Amino acid sequence: MAELDLDKLTMDPAAQELLKKAQAEGVETIFDRAKTMKPCPIGIEGACCRICAQGPCRVPPPKKKPGEEMPEEKKKRMGLCGATAETIVARNFARMVAAGTSAHSDHARGVAKLFIEVAHGRTQGYQIKDVTKLRRVAKDWDVPVMEGEGDDAKPRSAEEIAKELGPKVLAEFGQQDGEINYVRRAPKKRQEIWRKLGVVPRGVDIEVVELMHRTHMGVDQDYKNLIKQSTRCALADGWAGSMISTDLQDILFGCPVPVAGEINLGVLKEDHVNIVMHGHEPLLPEMLYVAAQEPELIQYAQSKGAKGIQLAGMCCSANEVLMRHGVPVAGNYLHQELAVITGAVDAMVVDVQCEMQALENVAQCYHTKIITTDDRAKMPLAEHIPFDEHHALDVARKIIREAIDNYPNRKAPVMIPQESSPTVVGFSYETIQYLLGGSIRGSYYTLNDNVIGGRIRGVAGVVGCNNCRTAQDTSHMVLIKELIKNDVIVLSTGCAAMAAGKYGLLTPEGAKYCGPGLAEICETVGIPPVLHMGACVDNSRILMAATACVKAGGLGTDISDLPAAGAAPEWMSEKAIAIGQYFVASGVYTLFGVNWPTTGSEILTDYLFKGIEEELGGKWDFEADPEMMAKKMIAHIDLKRKALGIDKARERVLFDMDMRREMAEAAAGAEEH
Ligand code: NFS
Ligand code: SF4
């Protein structure tokens, strides 16, 4: 195996330690493969079409020297059928949006189906936990929450409401005409923009199917029209699929409130049965969490010589159970193989999305059992224990028993890194409203007030994955630290949020990295500078928070007016592209790092980075350097502040703060002497 330059691969000391262990034990990981297999230079630009059997047709832009004019004949690039570079690159981009939307929406469909089963009392272990949220969501779907008239009216039972709400939500997926329901949640002006452009989704499935149809050979061959349908599809992800996941999961499992947790591989325990829950859908993890506390199973673990059962999460499943129950997190995306390499994971239970097939190979070298649980996501070498909501608790118990039975089989030397960091998570849209909204207005008004007054310069969403083509977590950290240093509060989800947690930014003490304005807010309210809002489907919470800011007043009339920006500096998944597209379509300036999948067409890239802003108020950008990325986001935020006429207020605040600090320093100096 090739020598690895660890600092270039990951900034996480736990990961570095385990990579050394892997090297010593001759176990190959994604980090090794990234060294030997380079990305295809044509594919990386989106310039390869393989949607029909006459291709693949490759249309990379001819390399020109800087400043050199491209000869006209070279500008014309096309596939055998005449599809231009614009069409080919746009089709590839569109298909990423379709796949990403499918992932979130198929997840949502599963939750909706479970929800209906729970309403009818046909499941095992589940219940409706958050009746307040149920009632609020029901109103948004025009489901009555009271029965009877006038003085005789009394609240309907949770089950009654849920029985009526469930099918309505599920119907959203197959709806053929009209508008998806949650469009009504967006600011009025945003709704008008969408309606005028004709991009309001009709349903969820229809937008994906239509996009797949339009990217078939010889259908839509106008790149702007392809991007338009990508927008419609992505909006069905953000404002339907993902938002439905978030809402129904909150109703079933509880709307997150601040809870303490712990992040990194150090949460595994050598003398415990370690079970890692990896994937995205919290349905089974919720039951594993219940079952792992059953005395019978704990005793069973003890009978095998373990002290107890340690559950830990990975990827977005981790975020789900972390923010609802404080279940510790073993790591983000690039930690998955490394967890197995500790030699201490007795079972890794996976469901769907972001699970590397390499897991089954790595597991061959250790004793770890990889258990797939979803019929949509199998691996040939893994054991399959299908999840079934009607016997969910029994399935969870069976899985835990298998893990316990596997505990005595540990063989390779076990090495669990020490690293783990405390975190405070669970900043749902509702929690932020409660903490920062102020009790009088019951809205995001106090947050707005602080933005207007200048203590908070702006709001940034930092989300997305790890990507083995860039050092793990480094871009997340450089970007986030630069933002909070400049008083930009950060809302985070997914693997980015976990990265923030690993390096201490998810605790109120993270205030020490902040500029004076944001530090003051963190200290007064007792919040971290980076608010962990959940899994990637919970980017819908960011949409809701942005909308609430608009509605609270003082910051314009649309999301595109807000001093805000979004970024995914280490993205890798198609879901990230779908998310980015719905943020752009919701009016947000959105930057991605690592690489950009449309560079094969300058015209298309130019449209996504500039032209699209005229239509949607948001736009894409690419920036590989995280420091530069922060600068671009802050510049955008300042531009929006200026447009709102609140740029001067911030100068006054900073002036005040400097004076206050000088006075404090002078006072401290006087005391010393
Ligand atoms: Ni989001 Fe979550 Fe992580 Fe990326 Fe994958 S786990 S859904 S896609 S890698 S952030
Ligand atoms: Fe080539 Fe056109 Fe077929 Fe694509 S659709 S592979 S560009 S012939």
Side-chain angles (χ1 to χ4, degrees):
M1 280 189 310
E3 262 302 300
L4 296 176
D5 182 348
L6 294 175
D7 286 329
K8 286 211 177 110
L9 303 180
T10 172
M11 69 175 279
D12 185 334
Q16 293 197 357
E17 262 178 73
L18 283 161
L19 282 174
K20 279 186 221 154
K21 182 175 192 277
Q23 288 259 304
E25 290 166 358
V27 177
E28 192 193 75
T29 67
I30 187 171
F31 296 92
D32 297 289
R33 289 185 292 274
K35 187 148 189 181
T36 46
M37 189 200 280
K38 292 297 164 205
C40 162
I42 299 167
I44 202 171
E45 298 193 302
C48 171
C49 183
R50 41 165 296 276
I51 66 168
C52 94
Q54 303 169 96
C57 298
R58 289 156 299 169
V59 292
K63 301 290 162 230
K64 59 170 175 125
K65 294 192 190 85
E68 187 188 47
E69 251 312 297
M70 189 94 70
E72 274 309 310
E73 70 276 9
K74 275 199 174 175
K75 276 191 191 162
K76 283 208 194 76
R77 292 174 282 133
M78 54 178 71
L80 292 188
C81 65
T84 61
E86 284 59 59
T87 300
I88 289 172
V89 180
R91 280 196 298 227
N92 286 332
F93 181 84
R95 285 193 166 200
M96 294 179 92
V97 173
T101 301
S102 303
H104 290 139
S105 302
D106 212 34
H107 169 164
R109 188 200 322 274
V111 184
K113 285 189 164 174
L114 172 69
F115 183 77
I116 293 172
E117 292 303 285
V118 174
H120 287 274
R122 293 194 288 251
T123 57
Q124 183 195 23
Y126 300 104
Q127 68 197 73
I128 291 169
K129 281 219 183 112
D130 193 336
V131 179
T132 312
K133 182 144 188 177
L134 168 72
R135 300 175 73 82
R136 212 172 48 244
V137 170
K139 282 185 199 153
D140 282 351
W141 289 86
D142 303 322
V143 171
V145 294
M146 304 293 284
E147 57 193 349
E149 298 282 312
D151 289 347
D152 293 334
K154 54 178 199 307
R156 288 177 91 191
S157 77
E159 286 68 30
E160 282 306 314
I161 297 173
K163 272 186 212 163
E164 197 179 325
L165 176 61
K168 272 198 155 182
V169 177
L170 191 61
E172 187 94 329
F173 295 90
Q175 187 170 288
Q176 301 296 315
D177 305 297
E179 297 185 344
I180 55 164
N181 186 38
Y182 284 160
V183 159
R184 296 188 292 173
R185 283 184 172 179
K188 283 269 163 331
K189 193 163 162 201
R190 192 53 20 202
Q191 297 182 32
E192 282 161 23
I193 292 170
W194 291 337
R195 289 197 183 104
K196 204 169 124 237
L197 290 171
V199 294
V200 177
R202 293 154 288 185
V204 178
D205 297 355
I206 190 173
E207 305 307 349
V208 178
V209 171
E210 186 176 313
L211 192 51
M212 290 306 286
H213 173 200
R214 281 162 64 162
T215 54
H216 181 277
M217 193 272 153
V219 187
D220 199 350
Q221 293 163 126
D222 172 345
Y223 72 96
K224 283 192 183 170
N225 208 34
L226 279 161
I227 297 303
K228 183 177 160 190
Q229 178 59 17
S230 304
T231 295
R232 204 175 196 184
C233 181
L235 286 173
D237 178 350
W239 294 86
S242 288
M243 207 170 267
I244 288 170
S245 293
T246 300
D247 277 353
L248 296 189
Q249 285 173 182
D250 282 356
I251 294 169
L252 287 171
F253 312 135
C255 185
V257 292
V259 59
E262 194 82 21
I263 296 188
N264 213 342
L265 286 157
V267 305
L268 300 174
K269 294 197 182 119
E270 180 150 10
D271 52 9
H272 279 57
V273 173
N274 291 304
I275 303 172
V276 174
M277 306 178 283
H278 174 18
H280 284 77
E281 302 187 348
L283 285 60
L284 176 59
E286 281 286 327
M287 287 304 113
L288 288 166
Y289 170 70
V290 173
Q293 295 172 57
E294 292 179 342
E296 219 173 84
L297 282 172
I298 296 172
Q299 278 156 22
Y300 186 55
Q302 286 161 348
S303 78
K304 300 282 176 176
K307 284 216 173 109
I309 303 165
Q310 179 64 49
L311 286 183
M314 179 146 295
C315 284
C316 282
S317 288
N319 284 324
E320 300 276 6
V321 282
L322 167 71
M323 66 176 170
R324 294 203 178 87
H325 309 294
V327 172
V329 173
N332 44 4
Y333 169 73
L334 280 177
H335 267 23
Q336 53 189 292
E337 289 168 300
L338 305 177
V340 175
I341 291 166
T342 62
V345 174
D346 303 298
M348 187 177 276
V349 190
V350 304
D351 50 71
V352 290
Q353 302 167 23
C354 302
E355 294 134 6
M356 290 165 29
Q357 189 168 0
L359 283 174
E360 54 178 11
N361 301 324
V362 178
Q364 302 292 305
C365 309
Y366 301 88
H367 80 300
T368 305
K369 260 195 188 174
I370 307 292
I371 302 175
T372 53
T373 58
D374 193 300
D375 290 344
R376 295 167 296 182
K378 292 187 176 183
M379 294 183 197
L381 302 180
E383 185 181 341
H384 190 66
I385 303 180
F387 168 74
D388 171 3
E389 67 257 36
H390 305 105
H391 311 280
L393 204 47
D394 290 336
V395 173
R397 288 180 185 130
K398 182 169 160 44
I399 289 170
I400 293 178
R401 273 184 182 272
E402 295 237 351
I404 295 171
D405 287 335
N406 198 26
Y407 176 78
N409 297 333
R410 287 191 192 173
K411 46 184 184 213
V414 168
M415 199 275 286
I416 301 173
Q418 295 285 309
E419 279 77 16
S420 82
S421 309
T423 59
V424 183
V425 302
F427 294 91
S428 55
Y429 152 75
E430 291 85 346
T431 295
I432 296 178
Q433 170 158 323
Y434 175 73
L435 289 174
L436 285 172
S439 47
I440 307 165
R441 301 282 294 255
S443 73
Y444 273 53
Y445 186 73
T446 309
L447 175 63
N448 282 17
D449 205 33
N450 280 303
V451 175
I452 295 164
R455 277 190 197 85
I456 296 177
R457 187 170 188 167
V459 182
V462 178
V463 306
C465 325
N466 285 148
N467 181 320
C468 69
R469 298 294 179 194
T470 185
Q472 182 190 20
D473 300 342
T474 306
S475 295
H476 286 307
M477 274 316 98
V478 173
L479 172 66
I480 292 176
K481 281 196 173 159
E482 193 62 27
L483 289 170
I484 60 177
K485 194 175 92 190
N486 284 285
D487 291 326
V488 175
I489 192 167
V490 173
L491 310 179
S492 193
T493 60
C495 290
M498 287 183 252
K502 286 197 233 169
Y503 312 98
L505 297 179
L506 295 184
T507 61
E509 291 72 46
K512 64 172 180 267
Y513 299 107
C514 298
L518 183 57
E520 193 185 323
I521 305 279
C522 291
E523 278 151 18
T524 325
V525 190
I527 52 166
V530 180
L531 302 181
H532 183 305
M533 295 187 79
C536 290
V537 288
D538 296 323
N539 283 317
S540 63
R541 299 188 202 274
I542 300 184
L543 294 178
M544 290 299 290
T547 302
C549 284
V550 173
K551 290 186 178 166
L555 291 176
T557 54
D558 178 39
I559 296 175
S560 65
D561 295 332
L562 297 174
E570 298 181 28
W571 79 282
M572 64 89 197
S573 139
E574 292 168 314
K575 288 176 284 175
I577 291 288
I579 292 167
Q581 185 67 22
Y582 75 62
F583 269 103
V584 169
S586 300
V588 181
Y589 174 48
T590 305
L591 293 101
F592 272 34
V594 195
N595 56 50
W596 180 249
T598 72
T599 48
S601 162
E602 236 177 88
I603 296 171
L604 172 65
T605 304
D606 206 56
Y607 174 60
L608 293 172
F609 288 9
K610 291 193 194 101
I612 206 167
E613 193 180 22
E614 283 161 34
E615 297 161 27
L616 291 167
K619 62 179 175 185
W620 283 97
D621 202 354
F622 167 71
E623 180 52 66
D625 172 359
E627 232 177 282
M628 209 43 209
M629 190 181 252
K631 288 205 170 82
K632 284 182 168 182
M633 292 169 84
I634 293 166
H636 179 81
I637 284 169
D638 285 349
L639 215 72
K640 294 289 173 184
R641 291 192 69 89
K642 198 158 182 212
L644 289 165
I646 56 172
D647 46 335
K648 294 284 180 296
R650 183 168 156 77
E651 283 161 25
R652 275 198 299 277
V653 164
L654 290 181
F655 182 61
D656 275 357
M657 276 170 180
D658 278 345
M659 286 195 345
R660 252 185 283 163
R661 198 171 32 223
E662 268 169 35
M663 274 157 60
E665 277 165 13
E671 262 169 40
E672 270 167 35
H673 293 293

